[in-house]
Amino acid sequence: MSRTHVSAVINGEPTDFLCEPQQTLLDVLRDELNLTGSKEGCGSGDCGACSVILDGRLVCSCLMLGVEAEGHTIQTIEGLATGSTLHPVQQKFLEHAALQCGFCTPGLLVATKALLDRNPNPTETEARYWLAGNLCRCTGYDKVIRAVMDAAAVMRGEKSA
Amino acid sequence: MATLTYQAPTSLQDAVRILAGAGGVAKVLAGGTDLLVQLRSGRVKPDLIVDTKKIPGLIGIREVEGGFVIGAATPGAVIGEHEALGKAWPGVVEAANLIGSTQVQGRASLAGNLCNASPAADSVPALIAAKATCVIVGSKGQREAPVESIVIGPGRTSLARDEIITEFHLPKRPPRSADAYLRFIPRTEMDIAVVGAGINVTLDAGGVCRDARVALGAVAPTPLLVPEAAAALIGHKLDQATLDALDAAARKACKPIDDKRGTIEYRIKVAGVLARRAAAIAFERAGAHR
Amino acid sequence: MTFIEKKSKLKVVGTRPIRPDGVEKVTGRAAFGADLAMPGMVFGKVKRSPHAHAKILSIKTEKAQALKGVLAIATTADFPNIPSEEAFVGEGPVNFRDLSRNCMARDKALYDGHAVAAVAATSEAIANAALDLIEVEYQVLPHVIDVEAAMAPDAPLLHDDLFTQGVDPKPTKPSNVAKRVHFELGDVKAGFREAEVLVEGTYATQPVHQAYIEPHACVASWNADGQSHVWTSSQGQFMVRAYCAKLLAMPIANLRVTPAEIGGGFGGKTLVYLEPVALVLSRKAGRPVKMVMSREEEFRGTGPTSGAVVEVKLGAKKDGRITAAQAVLKYQAGAFPGSPIGPGCMTGFAMYDLKNVDITGYDVVSNRPKVAAYRAPGAPIASFAVESAMDELARKLGMDPIALREKNAARDGTKAAYGPTLKDIGYVETLEAAKNHPHYKTKLGPNQGRGVASGFWFNIGGESSAAVHITEDGTVAVVSGNPDIGGSRASLAMMAAEVLGIPVERVRPVVGDTSSIGYSFMTGGSRVTFATGMATVQAAENVVEQLKKRAAMIWEISADAVEWRDGKAYPAGSNAGDFEPLSLEAIAAKSAKTGGPIGSEISINAQGAGPGFGTHICDVEVDKETGYVKILRYTAVQDVGRAIHPSYVEGQVQGGVAQGIGWALNEEYVYDAKGRLENPGFLDYRVPVASDLPMIEAVLVEVPNPKHPFGARGVGEVPIVPPMAAVANAIRDAIGIRMPSLPMSPPKLRAAIDKAAK
């Protein structure tokens, strides 16, 4: 099968890659670009472990072909921190023990960032419904939601980090 | 091994030409939230994927003469953010926004939801109740068709192999009109509808229904327009007798199956329940108590 | 080992530091099973039977072999034909012959999804295409899924060499009933005669999958001299090593297993599926082979826990004292024997002090994936039945459900029905805390109800190794042999830091591979904080003794004149000498001169694991028209002994509750008439999502386990035991209907409501 040359901006960096038509964006991130932070939990868009932000929108990278990335901007978990400074959502997840095995965590963090970028003051219910597409089997979501609400408060400037 | 080709035409003509000339199985790609799942599971094995997202006009929402034109490949999230559309057609918007997760909403389109032709598609009953039409372009030219004419069976549409939907039209609304869509799922999110009910009403100043359309999803091989259920509403206020008549008409129209999401008996009962509840919301939105 | 009674003396244990492996996990850097790439690596895929029950007549691989890019094909012919051999491994027995045949079918496919062949190729796409080219000739046989159907005398037989154990006289005809077990105490017949109130019920549960979000994944590299390396997501690198060595008849030391970070296990990764296959493919291909399961393969090909039918009968006096308890439990084992029928039988009544008990259990095979452990294996099923019956008993007696349980509660000195005398337990404390919790007093509205249920799990100890090494700058490395599935690295570092008297940030824990640390039994049975913690503490105490000796050398005094406090060596009293305290760093800097590296590795077989108890309160609201159940509020009280890191203990409780709620409401396998799984994915296998649940309040009661240096008990498994009955009891309270069959999904509720209305 012939491979297509694709150019996109990934985590702020112009990135080129080759891929076959049937490869998903998730396949490309993990297998071609070595960005293994995004995970495959189901391959069918039901678990959110592969979540990335495409042109500012939260999407499942397993539901996009690699070739569809041409000309677009993508942010993955690897682009969340700034150098060695963690993003407030990452910091709050750690402080609230909002992860156990950590496998769903990259997807949850990306989804949380997408939430707070769009709605800086979500209610608990709004946060839960926004994150319904991110399955977690370890935490029961309790500490995750607490971390999200706390990170939101920090990002609104209502409390110090 | 089958060779898969991907093309992303930048004009409607090119897209139609490619589809018309395709030798094997060609699939149209908008949001991809159904197609990629089916590719992965092996349920579809296309030779060609035609991506419509680069065609001008296929993504975006315009107000035209009091009505709305929605590009066929517009993601649900964009539909959800359009304030005027949400005010005029809250039922269509909430139905579209029920498809999948937030991630799926970032991509999923009305055309994809319709043409995937699942009996349980969420946006379709609401579009049918809204009397929406779609503009279809193929090598024979352009035509406009009511949404309820598109799905002809599970997984099958009335579109020719070289036709694609380019946009959806929602008509201008008379005053005191509103729609609502409800679905039942076992969890709070992430499930395919067990039953879906879309209701669209126009009331008069006294709160009496003057026009109505009722559509049900997931209770028949295709989404159902139920004229008898509408007839139960027209000429009435939404009192208990009307609700009971609506419930009965909705239940009577169902031809569901037993499957892993619900039994026949259950679907029939819940169709009645959702029809009542959706009607209450639609009437309320239309100003029944103003 | 000193047991530290007073919590107030602890400086690190009981606090909530950020976990040492946390930053890697929130940045996506942590390496899970599928994240590794080895040079020259190729890709393996498994061909699976589409039939629930079939003889495999032939397998033709020539067409697949001829496909460009295919490097190797494996079938049963590539696996040694090992004899039936059972090993007792902690929470249940393993039969290696059955395990081998589960990894690769021998002459029969026993479930839809059973592995029948495997391919290694230069790309996943080629491997998948090659699977389609492998021609398997099947003779389809009648199949049986349901446990009682499988027990029927005319049921299709899975194994013609399976004769029911535990019945007398020994059967001459093979059966699907692998085993019958029986536990007895006192005289139930007399007990029932004594009873003034009787309650009877039959309860059914469906198989449910652990549904860890990370699918099984491994990379195996077989070298030409037979030495091999496996990188895998697993709950036990030593288990993987032992099982692969056994299944492939290779010397154990030839295999080195490195544990990847593990994305959830819950018992489902306490055995092997892919690793032996990957090793065989690697051997044949001459290249490292990566194998990753798809989600569909997880559901079709890996073990859920049993589905079951449980009959319970309780007899009690009007004052609530239970005079007799009887249960018959029938558990599905899947394709090979080995359901958790034993633990199921042993745990159902374990919360209660009973004089007369009779429990019978059956382990039954049927044409579905071989059952694997799932968090407190067997107990949630038994407790669903018993705790539902207890609720009915409370209603019949007009007693508050917590009061009924208090009346019959197991306490210190109670002899459990399954044998041991329970000591230093905290069940009554959980009942007390639940009763006094504000949740229990809040008012409910229409169609709302409240349910209470209790649970028990033994928790185990077992073999663990841990090493504590002082580095040259006085920071500390802790190495253990247990994959971290719940925050154990943090706990181990905290316990070591407590003993050494230093800040926890100066103690860095890692999980070692099988060549880097002594043997450790797998992570499971809620044992790591207990057993590996014990080993870590012993190693740290050993290190403290060494540090004292080194200080003594430096000061030229006797070693018994040195004390260790707050991370420093002090002369013990003014007679010992007037020396400035020596810090860990100072002693470390001089270690070469005082005798060499300072460190200790300890291997133990930890005894004295304390059992755990929980009592849960659940509020629901039922939509009677749709049958939808909303969980309004949930409080889970659990005796945790001592919470080493309270956040991660709370996390275990909350996670177990969420799984129990999913089990109660929506999770199940749906089979078609041909025995094929219809819902092998997260769309229709419905685990709870974030919007399905409220906050889950975890109340930690601490009745210390004196056998552990800090009083810890295992905590991970107890929380999944009560929820199904808690939810069922809440539904009963809300709408007056007992749901005896799981899951309590909306269609079933609506049908029950309509039936009751007639």
Side-chain angles (χ1 to χ4, degrees):
Chain A
M1 226 178 279
S2 63
R3 290 165 41 101
T4 306
H5 177 249
V6 178
S7 296
V9 175
I10 301 183
N11 296 326
E13 303 221 352
T15 306
D16 288 77
F17 56 85
L18 293 175
C19 68
E20 290 176 358
Q22 87 283 359
Q23 280 180 284
T24 64
L25 177 60
L26 180 64
D27 294 335
V28 165
L29 290 172
R30 290 181 56 79
D31 302 333
E32 308 297 333
L33 298 174
N34 251 319
L35 295 169
T36 55
S38 306
K39 307 296 182 196
E40 177 168 316
C42 72
S44 57
D46 296 307
C47 78
C50 67
S51 298
V52 300
I53 296 175
L54 177 83
D55 297 340
R57 291 237 175 254
L58 182 65
V59 299
C60 279
S61 58
C62 77
L63 293 181
M64 265 183 74
L65 299 175
V67 290
E68 290 183 86
E70 175 64 44
H72 290 286
T73 305
I74 294 161
Q75 185 172 32
T76 72
I77 180 67
E78 289 90 348
L80 198 54
T82 313
S84 289
T85 308
L86 296 179
H87 188 283
V89 299
Q90 290 170 307
Q91 185 61 35
K92 287 305 171 187
F93 266 57
L94 288 175
E95 286 170 20
H96 285 270
L99 59 145
Q100 288 179 34
C101 81
F103 191 76
C104 74
T105 304
L108 261 172
L109 287 168
V110 169
T112 300
K113 177 184 191 296
L115 167 65
L116 299 181
D117 283 349
R118 208 163 278 277
N119 178 0
N121 197 2
T123 62
E124 180 189 328
T125 304
E126 285 171 333
R128 286 183 180 276
Y129 274 84
W130 180 276
L131 295 174
N134 289 84
L135 297 185
C136 174
R137 197 59 163 165
C138 291
T139 66
Y141 306 104
D142 182 298
K143 292 179 189 297
V144 169
I145 299 299
R146 291 180 199 277
V148 171
M149 303 299 281
D150 200 14
V154 165
M155 288 167 70
R156 289 194 303 271
E158 284 165 24
K159 54 186 288 197
S160 55
Chain B
M1 250 175 20
T3 313
L4 176 62
T5 321
Y6 165 90
Q7 299 220 51
T10 50
S11 77
L12 258 180
Q13 289 158 293
D14 283 346
V16 170
R17 184 183 42 79
I18 292 166
L19 284 168
V25 175
K27 281 286 183 186
V28 172
L29 170 66
T33 54
D34 283 318
L35 181 60
L36 263 75
V37 178
Q38 293 163 5
L39 256 174
R40 172 65 188 257
S41 71
R43 190 168 132 192
V44 300
K45 292 183 167 124
D47 304 291
L48 169 66
I49 289 178
V50 180
D51 186 344
T52 58
K53 296 191 289 295
K54 293 199 172 128
I55 300 170
L58 256 71
I59 296 179
I61 303 172
R62 306 187 324 264
E63 283 188 69
V64 177
E65 290 161 11
F68 290 86
V69 174
I70 305 173
T74 309
V78 172
I79 290 173
E81 285 158 10
H82 198 280
E83 231 182 282
L85 183 63
K87 279 207 174 79
W89 294 100
V92 168
V93 171
E94 66 199 351
N97 287 159
L98 279 173
I99 303 168
S101 60
T102 310
Q103 288 86 341
V104 165
Q105 284 287 304
R107 303 287 280 173
S109 67
L110 294 178
N113 196 227
L114 179 62
C115 295
N116 187 49
S118 160
D122 274 315
S123 65
V124 182
L127 286 170
I128 292 175
K131 217 169 178 182
T133 58
C134 42
V135 173
I136 301 157
V137 171
S139 46
K140 291 210 175 92
Q142 178 171 299
R143 60 188 181 94
E144 192 170 340
V147 167
E148 60 265 28
S149 71
I150 302 298
V151 179
I152 56 174
R156 292 182 303 124
T157 70
S158 58
L159 300 180
R161 57 194 307 274
D162 63 354
E163 286 186 310
I164 63 169
I165 296 179
T166 57
E167 43 191 44
F168 288 82
H169 289 188
L170 288 167
K172 184 170 180 223
R173 306 284 250 135
R176 275 184 282 271
S177 298
D179 63 344
Y181 176 81
L182 286 177
R183 75 170 175 190
F184 181 78
I185 51 173
R187 294 178 290 181
T188 51
E189 279 287 342
M190 300 305 286
D191 288 323
I192 299 290
V194 178
V195 178
I199 298 198
N200 183 21
V201 296
T202 298
L203 311 180
D204 68 20
V208 174
C209 179
R210 288 297 160 209
D211 197 7
R213 277 170 70 94
V214 176
L216 296 175
V219 293
T222 67
L224 282 183
L225 176 63
V226 189
E228 301 82 2
L233 295 174
I234 295 171
H236 301 280
K237 287 188 172 179
L238 199 65
D239 54 25
Q240 192 56 52
T242 309
L243 285 167
D244 290 344
L246 173 67
D247 186 312
R251 277 188 282 119
K252 191 143 181 259
C254 295
K255 294 178 294 253
I257 56 169
D258 277 336
D259 71 6
K260 56 183 177 275
R261 297 176 187 137
T263 59
I264 292 169
E265 200 190 327
Y266 181 73
R267 285 187 150 114
I268 291 173
K269 286 178 188 167
V270 175
V273 174
L274 291 191
R276 279 189 273 116
R277 293 179 184 182
I281 297 170
F283 269 67
E284 182 64 38
R285 284 176 176 163
H289 297 114
R290 271 190 247 120
Chain C
M1 248 180 359
T2 33
F3 167 54
I4 301 169
E5 188 81 51
K6 286 234 175 300
K7 216 170 149 181
S8 52
K9 284 196 180 146
L10 299 170
K11 298 216 169 71
V12 180
V13 166
T15 63
R16 299 173 188 250
I18 289 186
R19 60 194 282 175
D21 55 308
V23 173
E24 280 199 330
K25 295 212 161 148
V26 298
T27 54
R29 281 200 197 166
F32 291 84
D35 295 336
L36 182 76
M38 278 190 195
M41 188 174 79
V42 297
F43 303 90
K45 293 282 171 198
V46 175
K47 187 169 182 73
R48 297 182 181 277
S49 164
H51 303 295
H53 195 195
K55 281 205 180 108
I56 299 172
L57 300 175
S58 69
I59 302 179
K60 292 201 178 72
T61 61
E62 299 81 13
K63 287 196 187 130
Q65 192 75 67
L67 184 64
K68 182 156 181 277
V70 170
L71 298 179
I73 299 183
T75 65
T76 184
D78 297 298
F79 290 80
N81 189 8
I82 60 178
S84 180
E85 179 191 335
E86 208 164 69
F88 278 86
V89 278
E91 289 189 322
V94 166
N95 182 311
F96 287 113
R97 181 199 62 179
D98 291 348
L99 184 64
S100 175
R101 289 172 189 203
N102 195 47
C103 291
M104 187 61 69
R106 189 130 199 124
D107 28 44
K108 263 183 147 191
L110 291 163
Y111 52 95
D112 166 39
H114 197 171
V116 299
V119 168
T122 51
S123 77
E124 286 188 62
I126 296 173
N128 280 323
L131 291 184
D132 288 339
L133 295 175
I134 297 176
E135 294 166 324
V136 184
E137 204 187 334
Y138 295 100
Q139 180 194 338
V140 179
L141 301 168
H143 71 278
V144 63
I145 300 277
D146 174 71
V147 65
E148 287 186 312
M151 291 175 84
D154 56 347
L157 271 188
L158 272 73
H159 306 282
D160 51 24
D161 60 352
L162 185 63
F163 298 87
T164 311
Q165 288 176 28
V167 290
D168 196 26
K170 279 170 94 80
T172 50
K173 281 177 64 187
S175 160
N176 288 328
V177 182
K179 187 167 69 171
R180 176 186 177 276
V181 295
H182 187 239
F183 299 88
E184 208 179 322
L185 203 59
D187 178 355
V188 279
K189 284 203 172 70
F192 282 123
R193 278 197 300 274
E194 241 191 292
E196 293 169 317
V197 169
L198 284 177
V199 157
E200 268 186 273
T202 301
Y203 301 87
T205 74
Q206 289 297 312
V208 292
H209 198 272
Q210 306 83 352
Y212 31 80
I213 309 299
E214 180 209 21
H216 282 87
C218 70
V219 181
S221 179
W222 181 287
N223 296 307
D225 63 358
Q227 292 192 72
S228 307
H229 188 195
V230 171
W231 160 281
T232 177
S233 165
S234 152
Q235 289 176 241
Q237 60 276 46
F238 292 92
M239 172 275 298
V240 172
R241 186 180 73 169
Y243 288 12
C244 289
K246 193 65 147 187
L247 264 46
L248 302 178
M250 59 191 282
I252 291 180
N254 269 8
L255 179 53
R256 180 175 186 188
V257 180
T258 303
E261 290 295 339
I262 172 174
F266 315 112
K269 291 179 180 166
T270 58
L271 71 169
V272 293
Y273 296 99
L274 297 176
E275 296 88 340
V277 179
L279 279 166
V280 167
L281 287 173
S282 180
R283 186 183 74 212
K284 293 183 87 170
R287 307 268 286 269
V289 175
K290 177 186 237 173
M291 296 187 77
V292 181
M293 282 202 198
S294 69
R295 183 55 54 185
E296 186 184 320
E297 288 183 281
E298 283 290 342
F299 281 113
R300 290 179 67 219
T302 69
T305 190
S306 306
V309 175
V310 181
E311 297 152 32
V312 178
K313 187 173 169 187
L314 298 173
K317 292 270 188 222
K318 288 215 188 84
D319 72 352
R321 268 306 274 152
I322 296 173
T323 57
Q326 185 173 287
V328 177
L329 301 88
K330 301 163 187 164
Y331 280 28
Q332 276 170 336
F336 299 94
S339 76
I341 187 63
C345 288
M346 292 191 277
T347 53
F349 293 123
M351 289 81 81
Y352 307 116
D353 177 9
L354 304 171
K355 299 284 174 291
N356 306 307
V357 192
D358 189 284
I359 307 166
T360 308
Y362 297 95
D363 182 33
V364 182
V365 298
S366 69
N367 294 111
R368 16 175 343 132
K370 172 177 159 49
V371 147
Y374 180 21
R375 209 162 192 166
I381 296 166
S383 274
F384 169 61
V386 171
E387 292 298 288
S388 295
M390 284 292 283
D391 195 64
E392 289 298 316
L393 181 61
R395 286 176 182 280
K396 243 183 171 167
L397 292 166
M399 262 181 102
D400 170 87
I402 294 183
L404 174 62
R405 288 170 174 84
E406 282 178 320
K407 191 96 190 173
N408 293 284
R411 292 159 202 271
D412 214 50
T414 297
K415 186 171 167 62
Y418 68 94
T421 300
L422 299 170
K423 284 197 67 47
D424 302 303
I425 59 171
Y427 179 42
V428 167
E429 285 81 350
T430 69
L431 291 169
E432 187 83 18
K435 186 170 66 173
N436 293 323
H437 196 281
H439 181 175
Y440 206 55
K441 304 180 178 70
T442 40
K443 290 223 178 320
L444 292 163
N447 296 317
Q448 295 182 352
R450 177 164 300 148
V452 170
S454 291
F456 162 89
W457 187 249
F458 326 84
N459 303 323
I460 62 173
E463 296 172 284
S464 276
S465 298
V468 174
H469 300 291
I470 308 298
T471 67
E472 308 91 277
D473 68 0
T475 50
V476 182
V478 171
V479 186
S480 76
N482 281 99
D484 183 352
I485 61 176
S488 48
R489 261 170 299 195
S491 308
L492 298 180
M494 290 166 75
M495 287 187 266
E498 186 77 56
V499 171
L500 293 168
I502 59 177
V504 71
E505 295 78 28
R506 294 181 70 78
V507 180
R508 294 314 193 186
V510 295
V511 180
D513 67 37
T514 52
S515 303
S516 306
I517 186 71
Y519 179 85
S520 291
F521 186 64
M522 59 183 124
T523 294
S526 308
R527 65 175 223 94
V528 175
T529 306
F530 174 73
T532 310
M534 200 186 281
T536 304
V537 167
Q538 286 185 25
E541 287 177 337
N542 226 313
V543 164
V544 166
E545 290 309 303
Q546 291 179 49
L547 290 165
K548 282 155 68 173
K549 281 200 181 83
R550 303 301 180 97
M553 269 188 233
I554 293 165
W555 292 331
E556 291 174 8
I557 61 175
S558 153
D560 53 20
V562 180
E563 290 180 342
W564 187 266
R565 248 183 9 253
D566 304 324
K568 295 190 172 77
Y570 290 81
S574 48
N575 286 342
D578 192 15
F579 300 103
E580 282 303 303
L582 278 170
S583 68
L584 227 178
E585 296 91 312
I587 298 174
K590 292 194 161 81
S591 61
K593 292 209 174 91
T594 56
I598 300 172
S600 171
E601 177 165 333
I602 297 283
S603 291
I604 57 172
N605 189 346
Q607 305 298 307
F613 292 85
T615 298
H616 293 192
I617 309 167
C618 175
D619 289 353
V620 303
E621 184 178 281
V622 180
D623 179 336
K624 289 169 84 166
E625 289 199 302
T626 62
Y628 175 73
V629 175
K630 181 174 176 178
I631 308 287
L632 296 173
R633 187 170 176 182
Y634 204 102
T635 303
V637 184
Q638 187 168 325
D639 169 27
V640 303
R642 179 156 292 148
I644 306 297
H645 190 313
S647 301
Y648 288 100
V649 174
E650 289 160 357
Q652 288 298 304
V653 174
Q654 292 163 334
V657 166
Q659 287 180 315
I661 289 172
W663 197 333
L665 292 179
N666 279 307
E667 293 178 38
E668 63 180 324
Y669 280 56
V670 179
Y671 282 93
D672 69 13
K674 291 202 165 110
R676 289 186 197 156
L677 185 60
E678 286 191 318
N679 61 332
F682 280 137
L683 178 61
D684 289 302
Y685 183 86
R686 303 187 188 103
V687 304
V689 300
S691 42
D692 290 334
L693 300 172
M695 292 298 184
I696 299 166
E697 186 168 345
V699 178
L700 308 182
V701 162
E702 291 182 322
V703 175
N705 170 16
K707 296 277 167 41
H708 183 272
F710 295 108
R713 292 177 195 282
V715 302
E717 289 170 287
V718 170
I720 200 177
V721 181
M724 290 114 78
V727 175
N729 294 342
I731 291 171
R732 170 71 174 83
D733 193 48
I735 59 172
I737 295 174
R738 169 64 52 190
M739 297 297 291
S741 157
L742 299 182
M744 298 177 285
S745 54
K748 284 165 84 171
L749 246 92
R750 174 74 205 240
I753 290 167
D754 288 347
K755 191 166 170 212
K758 287 205 179 97

